[in-house]
Amino acid sequence: MTPLGHRWLGAAWLVLVMTAMAAAQPSLSGFVALDVRGFPHRPSFPQQDTNQVLPSFLLQPEFYYDWPNGNNHLTVVPMARLDFSDDRRRRFDLREFNWLHAAPTWDVLVGIGKVFWGVTESRHLVDVINQTDLVEDSDGEEKLGQPMLRLALARDWGTLTFFVLPYFRQPTYPGGEGRLRPPLLVDTDSAQFESSMEEWHPDVAVRWSHALGDWDVAAGYFSGTSREPRLTLDIRDDGEPRLIPVYDQMDQASLELQWTVEAWLWKLEAITRWGNDDRFSAVVAGFEYTFFNLLGTTLDLGVLGEYLYDGRSASAPGTPFENDVFVGARLAFNDVGSTSILAGGIVDDKSGATFALIEASRRIGDRWTIELEARAFLNVPSTDLLYSVRKDDYVQLRLSRFF
Amino acid sequence: MSEHTPRQMQPTNRRRSGRLPRWMCLLLIALLPLAAAAQSPEEQKGLEISTEADQRDLGFGDSVASIEMILKNANGQTSTRELRLNTLEVPDEGDGDKILSVIQSPPDVRGTALLTYTHINEQDDQWLYLPALKRVKRISSANKSGPFLGSEFAYEDLASQEVAKYTHRYLRDEPCGELQCFVVERVPVYKDSGYTRQFTWIDHDEYRFWKVDFYDRKNDLLKTLTFSDYRQYLDQYWRALILDMHNHQTGKSTRLSYTDLRFRVGLTEADFTRNALRRSR
């Protein structure tokens, strides 16, 4: 689509939305948060902010409009981040801006939306629709809003969902001053695309999901712009080295399985991906077992174990999860404040490189929450993708007010 | 990656879901004289009372409810939870109800939803929807005695109260308020219960529950549940709109009240699919 066509579409969309909003019942929710990150180590690169305590703010309201007959809904979720050190974390994004029409056995969604595929905890291998928002969180669970047309059909034999994704978004990368970044600046403005349509290549996807007794199964297919770029080294005219992201076209078939029996969850995610004259497969498989009412108390203790394999070649976009093991534990207090703690680590089978994490949260009163998040990168050898962030261990305290 | 949400939210007592199939009840009643050697007259009468209470709740179809829970600790500090609860009676006699519950408050977990397919002879199927991640996750339904949303209600208190989950024994008649009640002792036979036994007070007139005393695993009195503000729906179904649970050991209490309750609003199977869960609010 031409930029002009794009603009017209945008204007038509806005008119539609404004008309609709006038007729609908609005509601507002969301939260505002203060994040304080503490970095115990000095940064690896000279440009990086040497302050060891870095505060930032996050605002994420949700406007929701419901039409009187209950079948049409408009959701608008903007987010704004104010960061004092990294200019690429000073930004605004539309997480959602979509219209949903829901009929009993089908629904259609148009606009910017978010979709989750998958069953495992340590890595979201099959989750291919939305782009990862790396500057928000390094764990890959924060996503950018994705423009889409989504049609879901709910049938006796499962739910079939079709996606048309008319516009591609690049992942976010921290700026030069930011922590948790690659060794060189990623120059997203100079990104290269295999498709001549660049970001406007229409990507398509389909997913079937079904529950059969104790089994939940899903199969997906995606064809379009790879969400992960290859990062190639380039020297700017002024002699400054940089990384240029290159986005190949790819096809990916995926499978998700979960077997739930008593307190056990057994999980599997697998993909096979081809494109750029390469083909590889990857798997995450594991379990989660919960000891409910631990030792006669109201505590629940969940233990998690997952094995991660990725068979990609060196020419494919890099991953730190070639052959890794994840172990973790989740403690839920089941108290008034919903206190919970999650701790775990992903360990590389060969090098012993470890990504360790702790996440804890509790509610204070009815509208406040406090969350602690700690991440550490241990024993990272220079050959590992995580080498550039090896000094970026941090502890983050988040205080949120919900409204 | 962190998430913490309830795995089961069926805040109705005297729920009809997953009871004995009707033919089995008839069979049981028919066989009662034969079982007399194994079953005392008190056990016979206890089962009859519980079965009658259960039978009177058949055929409601579907319902939507708004629920408020006020949690109070021993110092009197309170905390509020709001839920929406949709229920579909499954006519298939071998199976239990389908329940969709959505948390409305506190706001940090607003929109978190749980879909439950209750079953009689096997564990329930449960899917949790986490709105921040847009993730639908199948979860274990093995928890029974844990607290529901931090309240004094355990999951098993709010789950279906089907006859076959207990053995029953009639103890005596005694007045309960202005009414006359049967007092029936019941002992959970399902796995993982936090109780050794319960005493239930059921009135003679309409077979409504008025009070339940819960005894913990050490056989000490743990909690008392009282029912009040009974209303009749569709000229047939009695529902208590206020349920008070008091914990004698901790001094904490929870009041669960229905702020809205409507029957036969036209819900269908399609409103209880995982796809419907994904778009619930």
Side-chain angles (χ1 to χ4, degrees):
Chain A
M1 198 181 302
T2 64
L4 192 65
H6 174 221
R7 203 166 298 163
W8 274 109
L9 196 71
W13 178 233
L14 208 64
V15 170
L16 178 77
V17 163
M18 307 268 272
T19 319
M21 280 158 75
Q25 294 291 323
S27 71
L28 170 68
S29 55
F31 68 95
V32 58
L34 164 69
D35 289 351
V36 179
R37 275 186 182 179
F39 292 90
H41 310 301
R42 296 267 149 198
S44 303
F45 308 109
Q47 312 93 307
Q48 285 179 309
D49 193 329
T50 51
N51 282 312
Q52 290 183 292
V53 178
L54 300 174
S56 67
F57 291 96
L58 175 64
L59 173 68
Q60 187 168 309
E62 176 169 335
F63 303 92
Y64 180 76
Y65 300 86
D66 212 358
W67 275 259
N69 65 7
N71 297 333
N72 292 287
H73 318 274
L74 178 78
T75 307
V76 186
V77 184
M79 71 83 82
R81 161 79 64 186
L82 180 61
D83 189 288
F84 300 102
S85 66
D86 183 354
D87 58 359
R88 292 204 191 170
R89 290 189 92 214
R90 273 196 290 277
R91 71 214 184 88
F92 169 86
D93 188 43
L94 266 179
R95 293 308 209 215
E96 290 184 66
F97 189 168
N98 60 65
W99 169 74
L100 173 71
H101 175 81
T105 58
W106 59 274
D107 57 57
V108 63
L109 181 142
V110 187
I112 297 166
K114 184 156 123 177
V115 168
F116 182 88
W117 293 5
V119 292
T120 57
E121 303 297 329
S122 58
R123 185 185 185 192
H124 302 307
L125 186 64
V126 307
D127 190 27
V128 74
I129 301 291
N130 288 73
Q131 183 58 267
T132 304
D133 192 353
L134 285 173
V135 305
E136 271 306 305
D137 196 344
S138 52
D139 75 352
E141 290 206 331
E142 281 292 330
K143 296 288 175 180
L144 296 173
Q146 168 67 47
M148 67 174 73
L149 171 66
R150 186 191 78 194
L151 171 69
L153 306 172
R155 296 287 182 271
D156 292 342
W157 37 263
T159 301
L160 195 58
T161 314
F162 299 92
F163 299 88
V164 178
L165 313 167
Y167 183 77
F168 168 77
R169 300 188 65 190
Q170 298 190 53
T172 53
Y173 293 98
E177 311 79 22
R179 304 292 291 250
L180 297 152
R181 70 166 172 87
L184 298 170
L185 212 57
V186 180
D187 187 354
T188 48
D189 294 336
S190 307
Q192 293 170 8
F193 294 86
E194 181 184 339
S195 166
S196 60
M197 299 165 85
E198 305 199 326
E199 290 100 330
W200 294 99
H201 180 274
D203 301 339
V204 293
V206 60
R207 180 171 181 254
W208 166 78
S209 71
H210 195 39
L212 293 155
D214 300 335
W215 291 86
D216 284 55
V217 56
Y221 189 87
F222 171 89
S223 179
T225 312
S226 171
R227 271 45 192 154
E228 301 167 57
R230 289 181 284 127
L231 295 175
T232 59
L233 182 64
D234 183 73
I235 309 291
R236 259 181 4 201
D237 295 343
D238 62 5
E240 190 73 22
R242 59 178 175 168
L243 293 169
I244 292 191
V246 181
Y247 297 93
D248 299 315
Q249 289 291 303
M250 71 167 203
D251 285 81
Q252 175 171 302
S254 61
L255 177 71
E256 301 155 51
L257 276 178
Q258 184 175 318
W259 184 41
T260 307
V261 59
E262 297 290 329
W264 288 96
L265 314 179
W266 293 92
K267 304 166 171 192
L268 172 83
E269 285 187 28
I271 62 164
T272 179
R273 183 188 296 180
W274 58 102
N276 190 33
D277 298 326
D278 190 19
R279 178 175 188 143
F280 66 89
S281 298
V283 172
V284 182
F287 70 87
E288 181 171 348
Y289 181 83
T290 306
F291 299 93
F292 293 110
N293 313 121
L294 192 66
L295 305 172
T297 66
T298 58
L299 271 64
D300 294 339
L301 174 68
V303 290
L304 301 94
E306 289 177 0
Y307 169 67
L308 299 80
Y309 165 79
D310 198 309
R312 68 184 64 194
S313 69
S315 65
T319 176
F321 306 123
E322 299 102 336
N323 217 343
D324 290 52
V325 172
F326 165 70
V327 289
R330 187 180 351 242
L331 196 58
F333 287 75
N334 295 309
D335 56 352
V336 172
S338 301
T339 310
S340 72
I341 303 171
L342 171 76
I346 304 177
V347 185
D348 190 283
D349 198 41
K350 264 209 267 333
S351 67
T354 301
F355 169 59
L357 63 89
I358 297 173
E359 293 173 2
S361 69
R362 77 169 302 169
R363 187 186 312 108
I364 301 165
D366 283 342
R367 295 200 168 265
W368 295 85
T369 61
I370 188 154
E371 291 166 84
L372 174 91
E373 182 181 285
R375 308 244 194 268
F377 308 91
L378 311 166
N379 308 322
V380 185
S382 59
T383 49
D384 199 289
L385 200 67
L386 297 176
Y387 187 69
S388 70
V389 299
R390 71 194 181 284
K391 292 183 177 172
D392 295 339
D393 299 351
Y394 70 86
V395 178
Q396 173 179 292
L397 213 56
R398 169 177 290 188
L399 185 65
S400 306
R401 170 74 158 83
F402 289 80
F403 50 88
Chain B
M1 201 186 292
S2 75
E3 94 215 5
H4 169 64
T5 347
R7 299 165 20 282
Q8 205 172 1
M9 306 187 248
Q10 297 99 311
T12 53
N13 200 279
R14 212 163 81 82
R15 285 270 343 97
R16 174 254 161 217
S17 61
R19 75 170 47 69
L20 277 178
R22 200 170 300 161
W23 64 267
M24 219 193 265
C25 294
L26 292 172
L27 192 68
L28 270 178
I29 291 162
L31 291 177
L32 281 177
L34 298 177
Q39 204 176 30
S40 67
E42 290 78 19
E43 285 168 331
Q44 227 181 91
K45 189 167 179 186
L47 178 63
E48 282 167 10
I49 293 163
S50 295
T51 304
E52 177 62 32
D54 202 46
Q55 288 286 308
R56 293 194 177 206
D57 210 20
L58 273 179
F60 69 87
D62 61 83
S63 68
V64 295
S66 297
I67 287 163
E68 182 185 75
M69 282 203 297
I70 297 174
L71 285 53
K72 196 187 269 186
N73 70 13
N75 299 326
Q77 290 166 316
T78 62
S79 179
T80 306
R81 311 231 173 310
E82 288 169 343
L83 304 168
R84 236 193 43 234
L85 188 78
N86 294 350
T87 307
L88 182 72
E89 190 179 31
V90 175
D92 176 0
E93 289 190 335
D95 222 342
D97 293 354
K98 294 184 175 179
I99 297 157
L100 177 67
S101 38
V102 187
I103 300 178
Q104 305 295 312
S105 83
D108 63 310
V109 288
R110 179 180 177 170
T112 302
L114 188 78
L115 176 65
T116 305
Y117 293 179
T118 56
H119 300 302
I120 294 168
N121 295 319
E122 46 189 305
Q123 70 169 359
D124 298 345
D125 300 331
Q126 286 192 319
W127 293 269
L128 183 66
Y129 176 65
L130 301 163
L133 297 176
K134 307 284 179 206
R135 180 174 181 178
V136 171
K137 185 181 178 182
R138 174 80 167 262
I139 56 171
S140 166
S141 61
N143 192 9
K144 296 284 191 298
S145 57
F148 169 76
L149 289 177
S151 74
E152 295 313 306
F153 286 88
Y155 293 110
E156 60 186 312
D157 305 338
L158 299 167
S160 51
Q161 301 292 306
E162 61 231 42
V163 174
K165 281 184 168 178
Y166 305 92
T167 60
H168 308 260
R169 193 159 64 97
Y170 166 75
L171 298 178
R172 61 184 181 273
D173 280 5
E174 69 178 35
C176 47
E178 291 163 14
L179 299 165
Q180 192 70 10
C181 273
F182 303 110
V183 184
V184 177
E185 179 191 16
R186 57 184 195 182
V187 175
V189 293
Y190 54 89
K191 262 177 72 179
D192 306 320
S193 176
Y195 309 120
T196 47
R197 58 193 174 134
Q198 302 169 3
F199 293 105
T200 62
W201 279 257
I202 301 168
D203 74 58
H204 288 189
D205 298 7
E206 298 286 352
Y207 286 79
R208 293 166 299 206
F209 282 71
W210 289 93
K211 189 166 99 162
V212 182
D213 278 343
F214 298 87
Y215 286 77
D216 66 13
R217 285 180 183 143
K218 294 181 204 116
N219 209 13
D220 294 327
L221 178 62
L222 177 61
K223 299 187 294 191
T224 296
L225 174 63
T226 49
F227 301 78
S228 54
D229 198 8
Y230 263 104
R231 305 273 174 91
Q232 195 174 25
Y233 292 85
L234 305 173
D235 297 326
Q236 183 178 357
Y237 304 104
W238 286 97
R239 290 293 156 91
L241 299 190
I242 295 174
L243 286 75
D244 284 296
M245 183 71 91
H246 180 73
N247 188 318
H248 300 285
Q249 296 179 5
T250 64
K252 294 184 196 172
S253 64
T254 300
R255 166 167 283 203
L256 187 157
S257 45
Y258 286 80
T259 52
D260 183 31
L261 178 58
R262 282 171 290 147
F263 287 86
R264 293 184 190 158
V265 295
L267 297 177
T268 67
E269 297 274 346
D271 298 305
F272 295 86
T273 63
R274 288 173 307 148
N275 197 50
L277 173 66
R278 187 171 53 70
R279 64 191 193 209
S280 62
R281 312 187 39 106

